Amino acid sequence: MVWEVLNVIGTIAFALSGVLVAMEERYDLMGVYILGFITAFGGGAVRNLLIGVPVSELWEQGTLFTVAFVVMTLAFVFPRIVRWTLLRRGVFFDAIGLGAFSVQGALYAYSMGHPLSACIAAAALTGTGGGMIRDMLAGRKPLFLQKEIYIAWTLIPGITVGLGWLTGPIEVLFIVAAVVSLRLCSVYYKWKLPNRAV
């Protein structure tokens, strides 16, 4: 049940994130659908390649494709749906997708018996893969390369789930909320990781 909830939350959030970017770039309706679908399902495709799951399994998620299609259509017809984002450039929706999909990726790798390193990688790629492809197609600097902390937050679900510490339904939802909150705080308060110039 938790798996399905995370799937739906992440799909809706990333679909809306893709729609918002497409509308900011003034793409037409087809461009909105393409960017929205890529954002919602790109991370899962990259994750499946990484941990040895056939990419064709994505096509078995017919219900999620329908949900994404309906959400994107509503957002395009009623653009005010995506205007209440808390931060600029769709960061709010992207943060929700990051939290939901990074946890889902870690759970997926953990359920297949993969080691900690695979859980961490699956969390990072599932959480950021769709957004990375979206930004590249839109000609933007990917969010995970921005100054504010982004991909580093996926270490939380990667480690806690990969070690089997937090895998219960309530615990998983708590991890999602923590990743979303920390991502939004890192943008709002401009938290940054140390860097060094050469």
Side-chain angles (χ1 to χ4, degrees):
M1 183 64 182
V2 173
W3 179 272
E4 296 302 324
V5 170
L6 291 178
N7 236 345
V8 172
I9 292 174
T11 299
I12 292 174
F14 269 155
L16 287 174
S17 174
V19 168
L20 186 61
V21 171
M23 291 172 67
E24 286 181 347
E25 298 294 332
R26 297 192 176 278
Y27 287 5
D28 61 15
L29 180 59
M30 190 54 64
V32 167
Y33 284 136
I34 291 173
L35 215 57
F37 276 122
I38 285 176
T39 309
F41 297 99
V46 174
R47 175 205 62 213
N48 287 359
L49 284 171
L50 174 75
I51 63 178
V53 177
V55 178
S56 58
E57 281 202 8
L58 285 176
W59 307 121
E60 298 174 7
Q61 303 182 38
T63 303
L64 287 178
F65 277 99
T66 302
V67 168
F69 178 80
V70 170
V71 167
M72 289 186 290
T73 302
L74 289 174
F76 185 82
V77 175
F78 305 104
R80 290 187 180 181
I81 292 176
V82 295
R83 285 182 186 164
W84 56 271
T85 53
L86 298 181
L87 299 165
R88 294 177 299 125
R89 298 172 69 90
V91 174
F92 178 61
F93 294 127
D94 200 85
I96 295 174
L98 177 72
F101 273 173
S102 62
V103 172
Q104 187 214 45
L107 284 172
Y108 202 27
Y110 181 75
S111 68
M112 295 180 67
H114 289 307
L116 175 62
S117 58
C119 293
I120 293 174
L125 289 175
T126 310
T128 64
M132 183 190 338
I133 299 170
R134 174 204 63 209
D135 291 338
M136 290 172 61
L137 288 178
R140 295 183 170 190
K141 182 178 181 181
L143 275 177
F144 79 97
L145 294 178
Q146 301 287 346
K147 293 181 179 179
E148 296 87 8
I149 303 173
Y150 183 63
I151 197 171
W153 296 127
T154 64
L155 287 172
I156 297 173
I159 292 173
T160 55
V161 172
L163 292 175
W165 291 347
L166 303 174
T167 57
I170 302 300
E171 297 167 334
V172 164
L173 293 177
F174 173 77
I175 299 173
V176 173
V179 173
V180 173
S181 300
L182 288 169
R183 170 57 186 157
L184 291 177
C185 285
S186 68
V187 175
Y188 187 79
Y189 294 107
K190 301 187 184 302
W191 293 344
K192 302 175 184 178
L193 292 173
N195 63 77
R196 186 182 296 271
V198 177

